[in-house]
Amino acid sequence: MPSDSAPTTRAEVAGRSALPQRKDGEHRFERPVWPPPGPRRVAEDFGALYAANGVVAAVFSMTGPVAVILAEGTRGGLSQAEIASWIFGVFFLNGLLTMLACWLYRQPLAFFWTIPGTVVVGTSLNHLTWPEVIGAYVVTGVLILFLGLTGSVRRVMSWLPMPIVMAMVAGVFLKFGTDLVRAVEGQAVLAVPMVAAFLLLSAPANVGRWMPPVLGALLVGAVAVVVAGDVRAVPGAGWLAAPVVQAPQWSSGAMLELVVPLAITVLVVQNGQGMAVLTAAGHRPPMNIATVACGVWSLLASVVGAVSTCLTGPTNALLTASGRRTRQYTSGILCGFLAVVFGLLAPGFVRMMTAMPEAFVAALGGLAMLPALRSAFTAAFSSRCTFGALVSFLVTVADVQLLNIGSAFWGLLAGLLVSRLLEPADFRRATTAPPTSG
């Protein structure tokens, strides 16, 4: 296959314009390709390889990450209808954004939702009401939109040492790993086959490429549940989405507890990862436009109770796994379309998953979070600010609830203060170095 460095067809040459050829700072808002590709050009750029990439990326998002929403929503006392509305928002609305962004910028730009933010919200639902959480969603969306419109994203990202941020994320994610271990201990007949399937599909890269390990674990677990006759009857009406619109409630406690951690997980953790993945694949993702889009869509998603929108890292990595760079946007368009369809069918999916034993959801969510948990630990403790990162991790894991504000906020704050005091040289280098995400 010819290299991207030497395109050999007119379509390849034209597709090069999808990569923004601007210098940093030349335009605050990165301009899309104009005119955008018509149906004929999209069809020419599409193919079996790009269809496979799009399907795998969509399936990945529909399995393990959704199990995280189910686990946190259930733990937080949300109703089946509220969880279905949440899933509708993160798939239907973000699927539309993904299709639009990939088409306009002619590069893979998959937008979904902040997984660490979801876990933070799940913890907060133990003492905050659902309307208070939605109020925090609205303010988070406004903050993200403001930072995007003012072009302040890079500066804000450079203020926060990544090791301390990722230590907070590791602390938030840790319970998924411990829940997985408890599931294996408590219901080995169900959880052990799921873990075995995950490990087998994770070992040979060529197998895992066509069957995501989390999907394999889901299928094996579903078979084990059916064989054991452990499926529960769950009442529910209809399979099509019926979004639940909930008016926000303004609570200073919820704002202090959620807005800053949610914004950080979107801008630093998720968008930073997504930008890095796309840049490494040879694309020039539009950082400021992506931030503005995350702000606008976070506001839209909050209307139906969905957590904030972000530019996802793992899904974009799957979209750029193979094929010509100039044609990978078609994978993103297909991924977005499948997300829209999945969002429309959210109530049926939630009812099916709710019928499964708790150990099934716990094992699936834990397996899905293992790579993210490993990455968080590596980023937190492999370079600078390790003492501050350790403090951030410990305070977050301890589930500190001071002034009715959750542990993610206090973990981040404690880590920053300790690192600034005890690791001044590391802290200075970590906060003045330019971000690596774009």
Side-chain angles (χ1 to χ4, degrees), residues 237-295:
W239 284 77
L240 292 178
V244 177
V245 177
Q246 173 66 63
Q249 182 175 331
W250 313 112
S251 162
S252 58
M255 303 304 166
L256 289 172
E257 177 172 344
L258 290 177
V259 171
V260 170
L262 281 175
I264 289 173
T265 62
V266 170
L267 298 175
V268 181
V269 180
Q270 301 278 189
N271 282 18
Q273 185 184 59
M275 295 286 174
V277 164
L278 291 169
T279 301
H283 296 282
R284 292 290 303 276
M287 176 178 285
N288 287 332
I289 287 294
T291 305
V292 170
C294 288

Side-chain angles (χ1 to χ4, degrees), residues 386-410:
T386 52
F387 199 86
L390 177 61
V391 171
S392 177
F393 173 77
L394 291 175
V395 173
T396 304
V397 170
D399 197 22
V400 173
Q401 302 285 336
L402 295 176
L403 303 177
N404 207 32
I405 300 173
S407 61
F409 174 83
W410 295 117

